[in-house]
Amino acid sequence: MSALVFEARWNRIQRSREQGYEELGDFLGRFASLGPLVRCGLVRKREEWSEFQRYHGYVPTEAGEKFLLYIPDKELVLVRPGKSAPLFLELKNDPAPNAHFKETYAEPTKAQFAAMEEMRVNAGRDSWRAKRADLLRQHLLRGYMDIRAFTKRTGAGEGGLLREGLAKPRVDRVSDQHLNIELTAEGTTFLTPLDDHDLLLVNPGMELPLFNRLDPDKAEYWCGLP
């Protein structure tokens, strides 16, 4: 079966090249990292593993579709005709080019979407809670991660953010519907606050760098992988 999948994929790559497309791996280069694509919000981790997936389970976001075409049945991501140069320039906007990034670190996002759906169901007719769930979904699709999912996986949470100077207590919290911390300038490298909806999100591709910042001993294994 794998040979058939490989042959079908290869044939599609060949046809696509004739049409002006470029396979993403060819565009990036043999040993290039997906990190810049992730941090620029152009690809995100898919919800579930697939037996024949490529690109370590990353697929284009809505923003990435401007440059990339995803073909699910062939597990291919192609750079659209005429978009190689614009994509190259877009990747120059990488917000953290020196950040640790390991393609295999991020997990499939099904559990995060399931938690979001539960939030949406539990919101009922509460418009604020419904909007909160909808905003979380929008950001998950863009590659962000809820801080609660990060804490569940790593054990590092708001205490670590405060201790390491990435956040400080909010002294003027308006209501329980607002965050009770505010980020410092350094904290915004790793996180994005949606203050009015009590959401704190890990920026795309910054899960491992944040883990390393908060608990370097535990993150050392992942950061040391080739």
Side-chain angles (χ1 to χ4, degrees):
M1 178 62 181
S2 59
L4 294 175
V5 171
F6 175 83
E7 183 177 1
R9 183 182 288 158
W10 175 249
N11 289 337
R12 182 56 189 263
I13 290 175
Q14 293 293 84
R15 293 199 306 272
S16 298
R17 286 172 176 169
E18 294 173 357
Q19 298 167 354
Y21 291 88
E22 185 176 11
E23 194 270 325
L24 181 59
D26 293 336
F27 170 83
L28 293 173
R30 184 177 179 185
F31 298 110
S33 170
L34 293 173
L37 282 165
V38 178
R39 290 188 294 269
C40 288
L42 303 180
V43 297
R44 66 176 179 88
K45 201 75 165 187
R46 66 196 297 167
E47 286 85 343
E48 296 183 278
W49 294 116
S50 172
E51 183 179 3
F52 298 108
Q53 72 182 21
R54 302 187 74 194
Y55 320 106
H56 300 279
Y58 284 91
V59 295
T61 62
E62 183 176 353
E65 289 175 355
K66 174 182 177 182
F67 306 98
L68 305 169
L69 173 67
Y70 175 47
I71 306 175
D73 62 319
K74 299 296 188 294
E75 291 292 348
L76 274 177
V77 176
L78 306 173
V79 180
R80 296 180 184 275
K83 294 298 183 180
S84 292
L87 177 56
F88 183 82
L89 291 175
E90 183 70 19
L91 295 180
K92 295 293 185 182
N93 296 322
D94 185 347
N98 297 319
H100 287 288
F101 183 83
K102 304 298 177 182
E103 281 82 356
T104 56
Y105 179 70
E107 296 178 328
T109 55
K110 182 178 180 179
Q112 294 185 60
F113 279 95
M116 176 276 301
E117 291 292 349
E118 184 177 356
M119 286 174 57
R120 188 66 179 83
V121 170
N122 292 338
R125 296 184 178 181
D126 186 322
S127 60
W128 179 84
R129 294 174 66 193
K131 178 65 174 178
R132 183 170 182 257
D134 292 342
L135 280 172
L136 178 56
R137 181 179 186 278
Q138 292 170 20
H139 282 77
L140 292 179
L141 289 171
R142 293 166 56 191
Y144 289 84
M145 181 184 198
D146 190 340
I147 190 66
R148 291 167 297 182
F150 173 84
T151 300
K152 181 179 180 180
R153 182 179 185 189
T154 66
E158 288 187 3
L161 299 178
L162 294 166
R163 185 178 63 252
E164 295 298 324
L166 302 182
K168 56 185 179 181
R170 181 182 293 278
V171 296
D172 58 346
R173 189 183 188 194
V174 177
S175 71
D176 291 342
Q177 295 181 346
H178 288 69
L179 291 170
N180 61 7
I181 61 173
E182 56 183 311
L183 299 181
T184 62
E186 184 184 3
T188 60
T189 301
F190 304 95
L191 300 154
T192 292
L194 300 180
D195 186 56
D196 291 347
H197 289 84
D198 193 26
L199 286 172
L200 186 59
L201 307 173
V202 181
N203 292 336
M206 297 305 288
E207 180 184 352
L208 182 55
L210 179 58
F211 186 26
N212 187 53
R213 182 70 171 78
L214 298 180
D215 198 336
D217 290 340
K218 290 183 179 179
E220 181 180 9
Y221 165 77
W222 288 101
C223 292
L225 290 176

